Amino acid sequence: MLNDRQLRLLLDNLTSAVLVLDENLSIYYLNSAAEDLVATSSARALGQPLAEVVRESQAADQALRNALATGEKYTVRRALWILHNLEECTVDYSVTPLSDLGLLLLEVQSMDRLLRIAREDALLAAQETTRNLVRGMAHEVKNPLGGIRGAAQLLQRELKDVEMGVQPDEGLAEYTQIIIEEADRLRNLVDRMLGSRKPLTLQPVNVHSITERVAQLIEAECDGAMIIRRDYDPSIPDIPADSEQLIQAVLNIVRNAMQAIDESIGLAKGCITVRTRVQRQFTIGRRQCPLVCRIDIVDNGPGIPEDIRERIFYPMISGRAEGSGLGLSISQHIINQHRGLIKCESQPGQTEFQIYLPLLTE
């Protein structure tokens, strides 16, 4: 038979959170996983009412009391818990009354990580489908452009070579030039829609050489009218990256922020912070990365409109009247090629993009 100490050791090594409540719905026991989940220690939580540590709803509290009275088990899926520090987490939990002891046993699984993985998988699948549709459409548009441009060039050449004694209308030459310029503009747009097909050239790169290059480009574009703050962690090791493409990915995000600030509050009141940090044990997709480099890009602009926040990485989606909606889509494609991840959180006055790039692989 296991003694009390061995039982506690066994429970503390479970990955599932285990909480035991007494008849007053006060915390009687927490294992280590439960301490991590509710962000508090046993020493602080024991004897405290459950509602002081984590809140769900009055109906949920009543269900716990009913379980104590009736001895019936039940399970709740995707419950939203609000912790004592006001953070939120989504959990599945099962309630088992221990009637002989007058206790309730709660087995809790945090669903936040699984839900995030599911959302990322769905987003990536939708984006891949969208990219394929855009590529197909772009090829259909691009094919006749070559013919249009070629015909315009031939017409222009014919107009120049007229030796029949009749001077050609100079306006016709202007029209052919317009055709050529517009065909070139459409071709460039289509090339951007297709994105780069060049394979990555991965080499060890100092992430701050990337962020500094982007900061210098933006400072030159806005002529020093806007503040760009650097908050770097100098201990970050080199990352395996294609320097040219990673600069493009970061530049698209920072340039979007600068343009949004310029259109809303003016560059003189704008501020963009570029921050780098190391993060341990981070999940990208379904891969557990022991170490990642995180690049945060934070601006004080108007924020992303709520109706497009979930779709900002789709092609052709933009919150700006003059935006093409391609920059963020291209940035995410480049980061995905680096086996990384982009996340975004936005509210009026603060928008933060977080880029995660693996430093060490499993």
Side-chain angles (χ1 to χ4, degrees):
M1 293 291 292
L2 298 175
N3 60 35
D4 191 52
R5 179 178 173 277
Q6 290 171 323
L7 283 172
R8 287 179 178 272
L9 182 62
L10 182 65
L11 289 171
D12 281 341
N13 280 279
L14 292 176
T15 57
S16 299
V18 176
L19 296 86
V20 179
L21 308 180
D22 64 19
E23 57 188 6
N24 297 316
L25 299 188
S26 296
I27 295 178
Y28 183 81
Y29 170 76
L30 293 172
N31 71 347
S32 295
E35 290 180 331
D36 292 338
L37 177 66
V38 301
T40 192
S41 65
S42 291
R44 181 185 293 271
L46 293 185
Q48 293 289 322
L50 179 65
E52 295 292 327
V53 178
V54 58
R55 289 182 288 109
E56 185 181 346
S57 66
Q58 289 185 348
D61 291 345
Q62 188 58 49
L64 292 173
R65 297 184 191 280
N66 291 342
L68 270 172
T70 63
E72 292 184 1
K73 302 179 182 180
Y74 68 91
T75 299
V76 179
R77 302 293 184 192
R78 295 197 178 184
L80 179 64
W81 279 11
I82 301 175
L83 307 184
H84 62 95
N85 56 8
L86 300 183
E87 291 187 4
E88 296 180 352
C89 65
T90 304
V91 298
D92 286 357
Y93 65 91
S94 297
V95 177
T96 304
L98 306 176
S99 301
D100 293 343
L101 302 175
L103 301 173
L104 281 179
L105 173 67
L106 275 65
E107 300 171 76
V108 188
Q109 287 283 354
S110 173
M111 300 300 294
D112 286 333
R113 177 173 173 269
L114 294 177
L115 292 173
R116 180 167 61 82
I117 290 173
R119 283 195 300 269
E120 289 169 5
D121 285 349
L123 182 62
L124 290 175
Q127 287 168 346
E128 185 60 29
T129 300
T130 305
R131 287 190 67 83
N132 289 335
L133 289 171
V134 169
R135 286 182 184 278
M137 181 183 70
H139 281 299
E140 291 299 317
V141 172
K142 194 171 184 179
N143 287 335
L145 287 180
I148 293 172
R149 193 179 197 283
Q153 287 177 313
L154 287 174
L155 178 59
Q156 190 177 52
R157 193 177 302 122
E158 288 294 325
L159 289 170
K160 288 181 180 179
D161 293 342
V162 170
E163 297 177 350
M164 302 282 300
V166 178
Q167 194 71 15
D169 187 348
E170 292 184 1
L172 295 178
E174 292 180 8
Y175 295 152
T176 60
Q177 189 60 37
I178 290 172
I179 293 172
I180 292 171
E181 290 174 356
E182 288 301 294
D184 286 345
R185 186 175 65 82
L186 287 172
R187 184 187 60 195
N188 292 335
L189 174 63
V190 169
D191 286 340
R192 289 180 62 201
M193 290 169 67
L194 290 171
S196 175
R197 287 184 173 273
K198 190 171 66 174
L200 295 180
T201 304
L202 297 179
Q203 295 180 341
V205 174
N206 185 320
V207 67
H208 300 128
S209 69
I210 304 291
T211 55
E212 273 304 295
R213 177 67 182 279
V214 170
Q216 290 167 2
L217 288 170
I218 294 299
E219 284 174 335
E221 285 187 26
C222 68
D223 198 22
M226 183 180 62
I227 297 173
I228 298 182
R229 292 194 178 125
R230 282 88 157 172
D231 182 2
Y232 295 161
D233 179 353
S235 67
I236 298 177
D238 290 349
I239 59 175
D242 184 313
S243 180
E244 179 183 337
Q245 294 205 38
L246 197 54
I247 286 173
Q248 184 63 54
V250 177
L251 180 61
N252 286 347
I253 296 171
V254 179
R255 183 176 282 144
N256 276 1
M258 178 196 71
Q259 292 169 343
I261 288 171
D262 189 25
E263 292 177 2
S264 58
I265 61 175
L267 293 178
K269 296 180 180 178
C271 177
I272 297 176
T273 300
V274 182
R275 182 169 54 233
T276 60
R277 293 291 186 270
V278 167
Q279 192 160 329
R280 300 181 184 277
Q281 300 303 328
F282 186 79
T283 303
I284 297 179
R286 296 182 179 273
R287 291 178 295 112
Q288 181 74 19
C289 300
L291 203 64
V292 298
C293 169
R294 194 183 83 220
I295 305 172
D296 299 337
I297 300 163
V298 187
D299 72 74
N300 66 339
I304 298 169
E306 188 173 356
D307 60 335
I308 65 168
R309 280 179 198 165
E310 299 297 322
R311 300 178 290 126
I312 56 171
F313 293 110
Y314 287 7
M316 316 305 289
I317 299 296
S318 175
R320 296 173 44 246
E322 301 299 323
S324 67
L326 297 174
L328 291 179
S329 173
I330 292 170
S331 291
Q332 185 172 68
H333 179 62
I334 292 171
I335 298 302
N336 288 345
Q337 284 185 308
H338 284 79
R339 305 187 74 190
L341 171 71
I342 301 183
K343 295 172 62 178
C344 176
E345 297 177 1
S346 181
Q347 58 187 14
Q350 178 167 316
T351 297
E352 180 172 352
F353 282 86
Q354 297 171 338
I355 300 174
Y356 298 88
L357 296 166
L359 285 170
L360 300 175
T361 56
E362 291 177 297

